[in-house]
Amino acid sequence: MSAEPDGPEGRLRRFATIWSRAVYPVTSTAATRPEFEERLLPVARRLSEALRARSFDAEAGRDAGAALVEAHCTDPEALSRTLDCVDAYLVLYCGDDGDRETLRTRGARLQHAMAAGFAQALRERTLSEQEAIAKAALEAQGVVAQALHATETRFRAVFEGAAIGIGIADLEGNVLQVNGALIRMFGLTEQALLGRNVRDWTHPDDAPQTWRLYEELVNGEREHYHVEKAFYRPDGTVLWTNLTVSLLRDADGEAQYQLALMEDTTERRLLNLRLRYEATHDALTGLPNRTFFFERLEKALAAGPGQRFGLCYLDLDGFKTVNDSLGHAAGDRLLVEVADRLQSCATAPGEMVARLGGDEFVALTTGPDTRRTVDELAGRIMNALLAPISIDGRELTVRGSIGVVEGPAGERSAAEVLRSADITMYRAKAAGGNRFELADPEADARAITRHGLTTALPTALDRGEFFIEYQPLVHLGDGSVRGAEALVRWLHPQHGVLSPDRFIPLAEHTGLIVPLGRWVLEQSVRQAREWRDANGGDALGPLRINVNLSPCQLTHPGLVQDTVEILERTGVAPDALCLEVTESALIGADDDLLKPLRRLAEMGVDIALDDFGTGYSNLANLRRLPVSVLKLDRSFTQSMQQFPADPVDLKIVEGIVSLAHSLDLAVTVEGVETGAQAEQLRILGCDTAQGWYYARPGPPERLHELALVDATG
C-alpha cells in the first residue's frame, strides 16, 4: 500500500524529488532523473530520522555527504545546491510537529556534517585515483625510459592526454618535458617552464620535510615520495597540488630522471578552508565558536613552563527579556552588536573572543603575565557594554556578569577551567550582576558539591536516605515535655549526615520541597500517634508535634488537603499538630496566601510564627495572621546565657511576651543553652522553650524517655 500524499512518506518523497531536481543537472551519471531520485531517497530518509532523533547523530550527515560522492555528485556545485536544499526544505517536509527553532539548529549541524563527509569522501576518492596513477607510473618506469627512444609516438599520446600535470626533469632539477595539463595549471608557456630548475619552486608553506625528501630521491636514497605542495603562479595566486615525485632508472638500474605527477587541489583546498571556517565560527556573529575556542584553550593550557592563561566568561543579564519582548530577530541583532564590541576588546597578541552559544561569550588571554592582563580585559569588556544599543528605535541597556579564571598552564583541563569560569559567572549574577568576579577554588568546590546534592535529591527520597530527629519542647513553668519539633536530616552516601541548611534551599529551588515536606509531615504525625499509643493514650498528656513549612509549601494548592488526609489516616487530632512558618514568609502576605493557614487553624491545627523578630513585619499585623504561637529567634536570648543579662534585651523580650499574651498567643523560645537562660525566660513569662540545655535533636525513643521521666517525677 503506498503512503498517503500528505503522510510522512509522501512528504519525504517530495523532499527527495526537490533534492534530485536541484542536483541532477550538475551530476555526472548515466542514470535518469527518476532513477537518481530513487538513489537519493534512502539518504533523505536517513537525514529525516537524524533531524528528529532524540540525540544528534553527526554520522548521518557525514554518510549523506559521502553518498553524494558515491552517486558521482563530485562537482562543488552539487554540494552547494544540496546544502541549500537541506536548509530550505528538510525541516519543512520532515520536521513533523517538532520545535522549529530546535529543528533548524539540528538542520544546520547536519549541513556541516554533510559538508565534512562530502569533503572527506572526495579526498579519499582523489587519493585513490592518484595512487593508481602513481602505481601505474612506477610500474612503467622501465618502459618509459625505453619509450623515450623507441616508441615516442605512443608515449607522447599518454603524456599529453593525461588529465594530471606531468613533468620530467634531470637529476640536477632542470625541467626537460612538461605536458599540456601542467602548462595550464601553472599558467605559463611551455618555453617558460622548460629550463626552469625544480629547486627554484620553493614556497613559504612548504612542509619541513619536502626538500629533504627531494634530496634523498635525487641522491638515489628513495624511489618516490608524496607531499602536498604550493606553487606561485605568475599572477601571484597560489597553486596547491598533490605532488608525487618518482625516480626513473635506465635498463641498468642507474638513476636517470625524476618524474613529477601533479594534481591541482586548489579548489578543493578552498572548499575545505571554507568548511573549516564554517565549522569553527559562529554563523550569527562570525566569532570563533565553542569548537575553535576549546582548541585554542587546550593549546594555551598545554604551553610550556612560565606560561599562564586568563579567561573571562560573560553571560548577558536579562537577555531572555529581550527575546521575549522584542523577538528573536532583535535579540540576534543585539548579540551581533555585543560580539563586535567584544571583538574590539581583544586585539592584543594572545587574545581572542568566542561565542559559546546563546548569550554566552568567552575572552581568552595568554602569556607570562595574565594576572594583570585578564583584569584589564574584563574591565574593557564591562566598559564596552556601558553604551546603550539601538534596536528597532529602542535604546537597550546591556548588562553582563563575568566569571574570571586565571592561572598557570598545565595544571587544569579545558573542561575544568570552563566549569570554574561558569560557576564564578553565576556567583557574579547572584551578587547582583553587571560585574565580574574572580574564581575562588573553595567557592568552586562548594558549588560543585551543591550541584551534586541537587542532582542526587530527586532519588534520595525514593532511596529512603532521609530521616527525622526530634528536639523536645519543654514547658518553662513545670519543666514537662509538651512536644517536639521534627527536624529532617539527609544521610548522604558520600557526605554523611547533612543538616537541613545544606539541602532544604536546594529542595526549594528544585521543587522537591513539596514531596519532601509531605513526607516529613506524614512521618512526624505517625510518630506522634506512636508516642500516644506507646503511653496508653493520653497518660503523659498530649505530645504536640511541630513541623516546619517552607514558603513553597505555603503556595502549594494541596497543602490543606494533604494535611487533612494525613491526620485522618493516622487518627491524630488536629490540635496535636503545629505548623511552623517563618516570619519572613508571611511579611506582606495577602489573603490568598493566608487562606490555607486560616483553614488549618479553624480545624484546630496550631500555626507558629517561627524566627520572630528577624524580619521587619509590623507588630500590628499579628492580629491578621492566623497564628497561635510566637517562636522568638535565639538572637534575643543570647545575652541571657550569662548573669546579669543585658537589660535592653530583657525589656524587648518582656514587651514581646506581654504583647503576645495580650493577643492570646503562646511564646516559645529557641536556642536555650543554660539554666540561667531558662530561669530568666520563665520569670519573663515565656511559655515553652527548646535548646541544648534540655536535649539535642535525637531519635524518637529519646523524646519518649524524657516524657516518661517527666511523668514519673
Side-chain angles (χ1 to χ4, degrees):
M1 182 179 295
S2 60
E4 295 181 6
D6 293 330
E9 189 64 22
R11 293 194 294 272
L12 178 65
R13 170 68 71 175
R14 285 202 295 273
F15 172 70
T17 301
I18 295 171
W19 187 7
S20 65
R21 288 174 177 170
V23 176
Y24 184 80
V26 292
T27 301
S28 301
T29 178
T32 64
R33 211 275 312 159
E35 291 172 342
F36 182 69
E37 177 181 333
E38 289 299 320
R39 187 163 186 176
L40 289 183
L41 184 59
V43 183
R45 181 173 286 107
R46 179 83 185 276
L47 289 175
S48 175
E49 293 170 351
L51 178 70
R52 294 176 281 105
R54 176 173 298 180
S55 59
F56 177 66
D57 181 11
E59 194 65 27
R62 289 192 290 268
D63 289 348
L68 285 177
V69 176
E70 187 177 344
H72 306 292
C73 303
T74 56
D75 192 308
E77 182 64 18
L79 175 62
S80 177
R81 294 187 181 189
T82 291
L83 296 180
D84 291 341
C85 184
V86 171
D87 181 63
Y89 300 105
L90 180 61
V91 173
L92 179 64
Y93 285 106
C94 303
D96 293 339
D97 297 326
D99 179 70
R100 293 295 159 180
E101 192 66 24
T102 302
L103 291 173
R104 289 195 178 279
T105 301
R106 177 69 62 82
R109 297 179 68 184
L110 283 173
Q111 293 175 54
H112 287 164
M114 287 181 67
F118 179 88
Q120 179 65 26
L122 186 61
R123 175 179 175 82
E124 291 174 356
R125 173 173 172 168
T126 302
L127 288 176
S128 177
E129 293 175 350
Q130 181 180 335
E131 288 175 0
I133 294 173
K135 182 178 180 181
L138 289 173
E139 293 175 349
Q141 287 179 7
V143 177
V144 170
Q146 295 176 8
L148 288 172
H149 303 284
T151 56
E152 180 65 26
T153 302
R154 183 169 28 176
F155 168 76
R156 181 59 58 184
V158 174
F159 188 76
E160 289 297 337
I164 64 173
I166 303 176
I168 299 175
D170 59 25
L171 297 182
E172 283 70 38
N174 300 310
V175 179
L176 302 177
Q177 285 184 292
V178 293
N179 70 346
L182 190 66
I183 293 171
R184 290 189 295 272
M185 286 166 58
F186 275 87
L188 291 170
T189 63
E190 183 176 3
Q191 291 73 21
L193 282 172
L194 296 178
R196 291 285 299 272
N197 193 281
V198 172
R199 290 182 175 85
D200 295 337
W201 276 319
T202 60
H203 191 276
D205 291 332
D206 286 342
Q209 73 273 19
T210 298
W211 293 103
R212 175 179 57 80
L213 294 174
Y214 174 80
E215 293 298 332
E216 291 176 357
L217 181 130
V218 297
N219 291 332
E221 299 172 8
R222 65 169 50 246
E223 295 301 311
H224 58 85
Y225 67 89
H226 175 84
V227 293
E228 186 177 26
K229 177 159 173 47
F231 297 88
Y232 282 119
R233 292 191 177 106
D235 60 1
T237 60
V238 177
L239 166 69
W240 280 93
T241 67
N242 276 332
L243 172 65
T244 300
V245 184
S246 302
L247 191 63
L248 300 181
R249 298 180 182 272
D250 60 18
D252 298 326
E254 292 294 325
Q256 194 170 14
Y257 303 102
Q258 50 179 312
L259 171 69
L261 305 177
M262 296 185 190
E263 178 198 7
D264 186 351
T265 61
T266 305
E267 290 188 5
R268 189 163 72 235
R269 182 180 178 85
L270 292 176
L271 173 61
N272 287 336
L273 290 175
R274 191 190 80 180
L275 293 176
R276 165 67 180 169
Y277 180 88
E278 292 178 353
T280 57
H281 285 74
D282 177 51
L284 176 65
T285 64
L287 292 178
N289 62 11
R290 178 183 289 269
T291 300
F292 193 2
F293 167 73
F294 263 92
E295 291 177 1
R296 284 287 300 274
L297 180 58
E298 288 172 348
K299 183 178 179 181
L301 295 176
Q307 294 299 306
R308 303 181 70 87
F309 75 95
L311 175 67
C312 297
Y313 191 119
L314 168 69
D315 185 273
L316 300 183
D317 298 335
F319 177 72
K320 184 177 183 299
T321 304
V322 177
N323 276 341
D324 292 345
S325 59
L326 302 182
H328 287 275
D332 287 348
R333 291 198 294 274
L334 177 66
L335 292 175
V336 170
E337 175 62 27
V338 169
D340 290 342
R341 295 187 183 186
L342 296 181
Q343 188 73 46
S344 66
C345 295
T347 57
E351 295 182 346
M352 73 167 293
V353 172
R355 182 190 179 202
L356 296 185
D359 60 334
E360 296 179 337
F361 299 85
V362 285
L364 177 67
T365 180
T366 58
D369 186 24
T370 53
R371 294 184 185 90
R372 175 183 54 83
T373 58
V374 73
D375 285 346
E376 294 174 351
L377 179 58
R380 291 198 299 272
I381 292 174
M382 297 302 297
N383 289 333
L385 299 178
L386 288 176
I389 295 178
S390 179
I391 302 292
D392 294 336
R394 299 172 181 264
E395 294 290 326
L396 302 181
T397 300
V398 182
R399 293 162 50 93
S401 300
I402 300 177
V404 178
V405 180
E406 193 278 336
E411 292 187 356
R412 287 180 282 182
S413 68
E416 289 172 337
V417 170
L418 202 64
R419 180 177 63 181
S420 178
D422 190 26
I423 291 171
T424 308
M425 179 271 292
Y426 277 107
R427 187 151 50 85
K429 277 189 179 295
N434 198 32
R435 58 188 293 151
F436 68 87
E437 292 280 348
L438 301 179
D440 176 17
E442 293 184 0
D444 287 358
R446 290 193 297 270
I448 293 170
T449 300
R450 283 197 303 271
H451 176 72
L453 295 178
T454 301
T455 55
L457 265 172
T459 57
L461 188 57
D462 296 334
R463 291 196 299 262
E465 294 177 4
F466 293 101
F467 67 97
I468 301 174
E469 291 186 330
Y470 299 88
Q471 186 172 40
L473 289 162
V474 178
H475 190 271
L476 285 169
D478 57 16
S480 62
V481 176
R482 294 299 179 89
E485 181 179 1
L487 300 169
V488 64
R489 307 286 192 252
W490 183 3
L491 182 57
H492 193 277
Q494 284 80 41
H495 301 289
V497 177
L498 302 179
S499 58
D501 61 307
R502 293 286 302 277
F503 61 87
I504 290 298
L506 304 179
E508 291 177 339
H509 179 70
T510 60
L512 187 70
I513 191 65
V514 174
L516 177 59
R518 187 186 303 116
W519 178 84
V520 172
L521 178 62
E522 182 161 11
Q523 294 299 313
S524 302
V525 173
R526 286 185 182 277
Q527 185 58 59
R529 170 62 184 266
E530 291 178 11
W531 284 331
R532 189 188 71 180
D533 293 345
N535 294 302
D538 293 332
L540 303 179
L543 287 179
R544 187 177 63 181
I545 190 73
N546 285 29
V547 179
N548 291 282
L549 287 183
S550 77
C552 292
Q553 290 175 274
L554 285 176
T555 59
H556 190 265
L559 173 62
V560 176
Q561 182 179 352
D562 288 344
T563 305
V564 171
E565 289 179 353
I566 290 171
L567 291 172
E568 291 179 349
R569 190 162 55 245
T570 56
V572 173
D575 61 3
L577 173 64
C578 177
L579 298 177
E580 297 188 8
V581 184
T582 60
E583 179 187 25
S584 58
L586 296 184
I587 292 178
D590 55 22
D591 288 339
D592 289 337
L593 182 62
L594 296 178
K595 187 179 299 181
L597 293 181
R598 288 199 177 100
R599 289 182 58 189
L600 291 169
E602 290 167 357
M603 292 166 41
V605 175
D606 283 329
I607 307 297
L609 194 61
D610 196 12
D611 296 334
F612 182 77
T614 59
Y616 298 94
S617 61
N618 188 333
L619 294 178
N621 286 335
L622 289 175
R623 300 187 61 179
R624 58 184 288 269
L625 299 178
V627 299
S628 55
V629 180
L630 290 186
K631 290 194 72 174
L632 281 183
D633 185 69
R634 65 183 65 229
S635 60
F636 286 102
T637 62
Q638 284 179 343
S639 67
M640 300 181 191
Q641 293 181 10
Q642 297 178 347
F643 185 84
D646 187 332
V648 176
D649 286 345
L650 293 176
K651 287 292 185 182
I652 292 175
V653 173
E654 183 180 14
I656 293 175
V657 172
S658 176
L659 173 65
H661 286 169
S662 68
L663 296 174
D664 293 328
L665 303 178
V667 177
T668 298
V669 184
E670 298 179 295
V672 178
E673 299 183 7
T674 66
Q677 274 181 295
E679 178 61 19
Q680 189 66 65
L681 292 168
R682 184 190 66 79
I683 295 172
L684 291 173
C686 297
D687 300 291
T688 55
Q690 64 186 95
W692 288 5
Y693 173 66
Y694 303 105
R696 298 192 180 206
E701 297 81 11
R702 184 184 303 171
L703 185 80
H704 178 235
E705 294 168 0
L706 291 172
L708 282 175
V709 171
D710 290 336
T712 58

